[in-house]
PDB file of all heavy atoms in Angstrom:
ATOM      1  N   ASP A  37      17.860  -0.295  28.878  1.00  0.00           N
ATOM      2  CA  ASP A  37      19.011  -0.681  28.067  1.00  0.00           C
ATOM      3  C   ASP A  37      18.638  -0.849  26.603  1.00  0.00           C
ATOM      4  O   ASP A  37      17.490  -1.153  26.252  1.00  0.00           O
ATOM      5  CB  ASP A  37      19.593  -1.992  28.590  1.00  0.00           C
ATOM      6  CG  ASP A  37      18.637  -3.136  28.396  1.00  0.00           C
ATOM      7  OD1 ASP A  37      17.582  -3.130  29.056  1.00  0.00           O
ATOM      8  OD2 ASP A  37      18.918  -4.016  27.561  1.00  0.00           O
ATOM      9  N   GLY A  38      19.616  -0.641  25.764  1.00  0.00           N
ATOM     10  CA  GLY A  38      19.411  -0.623  24.318  1.00  0.00           C
ATOM     11  C   GLY A  38      18.847  -1.909  23.745  1.00  0.00           C
ATOM     12  O   GLY A  38      18.031  -1.885  22.835  1.00  0.00           O
ATOM     13  N   GLU A  39      19.244  -3.040  24.326  1.00  0.00           N
ATOM     14  CA  GLU A  39      18.798  -4.304  23.754  1.00  0.00           C
ATOM     15  C   GLU A  39      17.300  -4.511  23.993  1.00  0.00           C
ATOM     16  O   GLU A  39      16.622  -5.139  23.186  1.00  0.00           O
ATOM     17  CB  GLU A  39      19.599  -5.471  24.338  1.00  0.00           C
ATOM     18  CG  GLU A  39      21.096  -5.432  24.026  1.00  0.00           C
ATOM     19  CD  GLU A  39      21.398  -5.387  22.533  1.00  0.00           C
ATOM     20  OE1 GLU A  39      20.539  -5.765  21.720  1.00  0.00           O
ATOM     21  OE2 GLU A  39      22.509  -4.952  22.180  1.00  0.00           O
ATOM     22  N   SER A  40      16.790  -3.992  25.113  1.00  0.00           N
ATOM     23  CA  SER A  40      15.353  -4.085  25.336  1.00  0.00           C
ATOM     24  C   SER A  40      14.636  -3.041  24.485  1.00  0.00           C
ATOM     25  O   SER A  40      13.536  -3.281  23.985  1.00  0.00           O
ATOM     26  CB  SER A  40      15.016  -3.823  26.811  1.00  0.00           C
ATOM     27  OG  SER A  40      15.691  -4.727  27.635  1.00  0.00           O
ATOM     28  N   PHE A  41      15.272  -1.894  24.344  1.00  0.00           N
ATOM     29  CA  PHE A  41      14.630  -0.812  23.613  1.00  0.00           C
ATOM     30  C   PHE A  41      14.479  -1.113  22.136  1.00  0.00           C
ATOM     31  O   PHE A  41      13.567  -0.602  21.484  1.00  0.00           O
ATOM     32  CB  PHE A  41      15.408   0.493  23.794  1.00  0.00           C
ATOM     33  CG  PHE A  41      15.169   1.129  25.146  1.00  0.00           C
ATOM     34  CD1 PHE A  41      16.098   1.994  25.705  1.00  0.00           C
ATOM     35  CD2 PHE A  41      13.999   0.874  25.850  1.00  0.00           C
ATOM     36  CE1 PHE A  41      15.872   2.585  26.939  1.00  0.00           C
ATOM     37  CE2 PHE A  41      13.759   1.455  27.091  1.00  0.00           C
ATOM     38  CZ  PHE A  41      14.705   2.315  27.638  1.00  0.00           C
ATOM     39  N   ARG A  42      15.357  -1.944  21.591  1.00  0.00           N
ATOM     40  CA  ARG A  42      15.266  -2.183  20.154  1.00  0.00           C
ATOM     41  C   ARG A  42      13.902  -2.745  19.750  1.00  0.00           C
ATOM     42  O   ARG A  42      13.206  -2.115  18.948  1.00  0.00           O
ATOM     43  CB  ARG A  42      16.390  -3.089  19.668  1.00  0.00           C
ATOM     44  CG  ARG A  42      16.435  -3.184  18.145  1.00  0.00           C
ATOM     45  CD  ARG A  42      17.396  -4.228  17.616  1.00  0.00           C
ATOM     46  NE  ARG A  42      18.595  -4.369  18.417  1.00  0.00           N
ATOM     47  CZ  ARG A  42      19.648  -3.583  18.334  1.00  0.00           C
ATOM     48  NH1 ARG A  42      19.647  -2.601  17.464  1.00  0.00           N
ATOM     49  NH2 ARG A  42      20.686  -3.770  19.098  1.00  0.00           N
ATOM     50  N   PRO A  43      13.470  -3.862  20.337  1.00  0.00           N
ATOM     51  CA  PRO A  43      12.120  -4.322  19.968  1.00  0.00           C
ATOM     52  C   PRO A  43      11.035  -3.364  20.439  1.00  0.00           C
ATOM     53  O   PRO A  43      10.041  -3.155  19.727  1.00  0.00           O
ATOM     54  CB  PRO A  43      11.999  -5.672  20.666  1.00  0.00           C
ATOM     55  CG  PRO A  43      13.078  -5.719  21.681  1.00  0.00           C
ATOM     56  CD  PRO A  43      14.171  -4.842  21.195  1.00  0.00           C
ATOM     57  N   ILE A  44      11.220  -2.765  21.618  1.00  0.00           N
ATOM     58  CA  ILE A  44      10.184  -1.866  22.140  1.00  0.00           C
ATOM     59  C   ILE A  44       9.927  -0.723  21.157  1.00  0.00           C
ATOM     60  O   ILE A  44       8.799  -0.361  20.869  1.00  0.00           O
ATOM     61  CB  ILE A  44      10.616  -1.323  23.523  1.00  0.00           C
ATOM     62  CG1 ILE A  44      10.506  -2.441  24.560  1.00  0.00           C
ATOM     63  CG2 ILE A  44       9.778  -0.125  23.922  1.00  0.00           C
ATOM     64  CD1 ILE A  44      11.036  -2.072  25.927  1.00  0.00           C
ATOM     65  N   ARG A  45      11.017  -0.212  20.613  1.00  0.00           N
ATOM     66  CA  ARG A  45      10.903   0.895  19.672  1.00  0.00           C
ATOM     67  C   ARG A  45      10.094   0.514  18.431  1.00  0.00           C
ATOM     68  O   ARG A  45       9.452   1.359  17.820  1.00  0.00           O
ATOM     69  CB  ARG A  45      12.318   1.323  19.263  1.00  0.00           C
ATOM     70  CG  ARG A  45      12.387   2.520  18.393  1.00  0.00           C
ATOM     71  CD  ARG A  45      13.693   3.235  18.567  1.00  0.00           C
ATOM     72  NE  ARG A  45      13.688   4.046  19.783  1.00  0.00           N
ATOM     73  CZ  ARG A  45      13.175   5.266  19.853  1.00  0.00           C
ATOM     74  NH1 ARG A  45      12.606   5.801  18.797  1.00  0.00           N
ATOM     75  NH2 ARG A  45      13.233   5.950  20.962  1.00  0.00           N
ATOM     76  N   GLN A  46      10.108  -0.744  18.058  1.00  0.00           N
ATOM     77  CA  GLN A  46       9.354  -1.171  16.890  1.00  0.00           C
ATOM     78  C   GLN A  46       7.880  -1.359  17.226  1.00  0.00           C
ATOM     79  O   GLN A  46       7.010  -1.210  16.391  1.00  0.00           O
ATOM     80  CB  GLN A  46       9.897  -2.493  16.320  1.00  0.00           C
ATOM     81  CG  GLN A  46      11.398  -2.600  16.208  1.00  0.00           C
ATOM     82  CD  GLN A  46      12.029  -1.406  15.504  1.00  0.00           C
ATOM     83  OE1 GLN A  46      11.517  -0.919  14.498  1.00  0.00           O
ATOM     84  NE2 GLN A  46      13.142  -0.917  16.068  1.00  0.00           N
ATOM     85  N   ILE A  47       7.627  -1.705  18.505  1.00  0.00           N
ATOM     86  CA  ILE A  47       6.256  -2.026  18.904  1.00  0.00           C
ATOM     87  C   ILE A  47       5.499  -0.769  19.329  1.00  0.00           C
ATOM     88  O   ILE A  47       4.306  -0.650  19.130  1.00  0.00           O
ATOM     89  CB  ILE A  47       6.270  -3.045  20.067  1.00  0.00           C
ATOM     90  CG1 ILE A  47       6.999  -4.327  19.646  1.00  0.00           C
ATOM     91  CG2 ILE A  47       4.851  -3.380  20.510  1.00  0.00           C
ATOM     92  CD1 ILE A  47       7.334  -5.243  20.793  1.00  0.00           C
ATOM     93  N   TYR A  48       6.231   0.149  19.919  1.00  0.00           N
ATOM     94  CA  TYR A  48       5.584   1.343  20.485  1.00  0.00           C
ATOM     95  C   TYR A  48       6.045   2.600  19.749  1.00  0.00           C
ATOM     96  O   TYR A  48       7.033   2.575  18.999  1.00  0.00           O
ATOM     97  CB  TYR A  48       5.970   1.516  21.950  1.00  0.00           C
ATOM     98  CG  TYR A  48       5.596   0.391  22.865  1.00  0.00           C
ATOM     99  CD1 TYR A  48       6.485  -0.660  23.098  1.00  0.00           C
ATOM    100  CD2 TYR A  48       4.381   0.385  23.541  1.00  0.00           C
ATOM    101  CE1 TYR A  48       6.172  -1.685  23.969  1.00  0.00           C
ATOM    102  CE2 TYR A  48       4.061  -0.640  24.413  1.00  0.00           C
ATOM    103  CZ  TYR A  48       4.947  -1.673  24.636  1.00  0.00           C
ATOM    104  OH  TYR A  48       4.636  -2.677  25.506  1.00  0.00           O
ATOM    105  N   ASP A  49       5.365   3.695  20.082  1.00  0.00           N
ATOM    106  CA  ASP A  49       5.823   5.002  19.637  1.00  0.00           C
ATOM    107  C   ASP A  49       5.870   5.921  20.827  1.00  0.00           C
ATOM    108  O   ASP A  49       5.179   5.717  21.830  1.00  0.00           O
ATOM    109  CB  ASP A  49       4.867   5.576  18.587  1.00  0.00           C
ATOM    110  CG  ASP A  49       4.939   4.791  17.301  1.00  0.00           C
ATOM    111  OD1 ASP A  49       6.019   4.748  16.707  1.00  0.00           O
ATOM    112  OD2 ASP A  49       3.906   4.193  16.918  1.00  0.00           O
ATOM    113  N   THR A  50       6.678   6.961  20.682  1.00  0.00           N
ATOM    114  CA  THR A  50       6.735   7.997  21.716  1.00  0.00           C
ATOM    115  C   THR A  50       5.997   9.216  21.211  1.00  0.00           C
ATOM    116  O   THR A  50       5.729   9.355  20.008  1.00  0.00           O
ATOM    117  CB  THR A  50       8.196   8.362  22.023  1.00  0.00           C
ATOM    118  OG1 THR A  50       8.904   8.485  20.792  1.00  0.00           O
ATOM    119  CG2 THR A  50       8.849   7.301  22.863  1.00  0.00           C
ATOM    120  N   LEU A  51       5.687  10.133  22.112  1.00  0.00           N
ATOM    121  CA  LEU A  51       4.971  11.348  21.718  1.00  0.00           C
ATOM    122  C   LEU A  51       5.813  12.145  20.737  1.00  0.00           C
ATOM    123  O   LEU A  51       5.346  12.624  19.708  1.00  0.00           O
ATOM    124  CB  LEU A  51       4.668  12.199  22.961  1.00  0.00           C
ATOM    125  CG  LEU A  51       3.603  11.617  23.898  1.00  0.00           C
ATOM    126  CD1 LEU A  51       3.532  12.414  25.186  1.00  0.00           C
ATOM    127  CD2 LEU A  51       2.251  11.591  23.204  1.00  0.00           C
ATOM    128  N   VAL A  52       7.067  12.275  21.085  1.00  0.00           N
ATOM    129  CA  VAL A  52       8.011  13.008  20.255  1.00  0.00           C
ATOM    130  C   VAL A  52       9.048  12.006  19.803  1.00  0.00           C
ATOM    131  O   VAL A  52       9.365  11.082  20.546  1.00  0.00           O
ATOM    132  CB  VAL A  52       8.684  14.130  21.077  1.00  0.00           C
ATOM    133  CG1 VAL A  52       9.701  14.879  20.243  1.00  0.00           C
ATOM    134  CG2 VAL A  52       7.638  15.069  21.633  1.00  0.00           C
ATOM    135  N   THR A  53       9.533  12.179  18.621  1.00  0.00           N
ATOM    136  CA  THR A  53      10.557  11.233  18.199  1.00  0.00           C
ATOM    137  C   THR A  53      11.647  11.953  17.420  1.00  0.00           C
ATOM    138  O   THR A  53      11.651  13.172  17.331  1.00  0.00           O
ATOM    139  CB  THR A  53       9.922  10.079  17.391  1.00  0.00           C
ATOM    140  OG1 THR A  53      10.901   9.100  17.168  1.00  0.00           O
ATOM    141  CG2 THR A  53       9.370  10.560  16.063  1.00  0.00           C
ATOM    142  N   HIS A  54      12.626  11.136  16.951  1.00  0.00           N
ATOM    143  CA  HIS A  54      13.750  11.757  16.250  1.00  0.00           C
ATOM    144  C   HIS A  54      13.619  11.568  14.766  1.00  0.00           C
ATOM    145  O   HIS A  54      13.122  10.550  14.304  1.00  0.00           O
ATOM    146  CB  HIS A  54      15.075  11.143  16.722  1.00  0.00           C
ATOM    147  CG  HIS A  54      15.275  11.260  18.191  1.00  0.00           C
ATOM    148  ND1 HIS A  54      15.121  10.199  19.054  1.00  0.00           N
ATOM    149  CD2 HIS A  54      15.583  12.323  18.963  1.00  0.00           C
ATOM    150  CE1 HIS A  54      15.345  10.592  20.281  1.00  0.00           C
ATOM    151  NE2 HIS A  54      15.625  11.881  20.262  1.00  0.00           N
TER     152      HIS A  54
END
Side-chain angles (χ1 to χ4, degrees):
Chain A
D37 66 293
E39 297 303 339
S40 302
F41 283 156
R42 189 189 325 278
I44 287 174
R45 185 153 281 277
Q46 316 310 318
I47 301 167
Y48 300 91
D49 291 299
T50 44
L51 289 171
V52 178
T53 188
H54 303 104

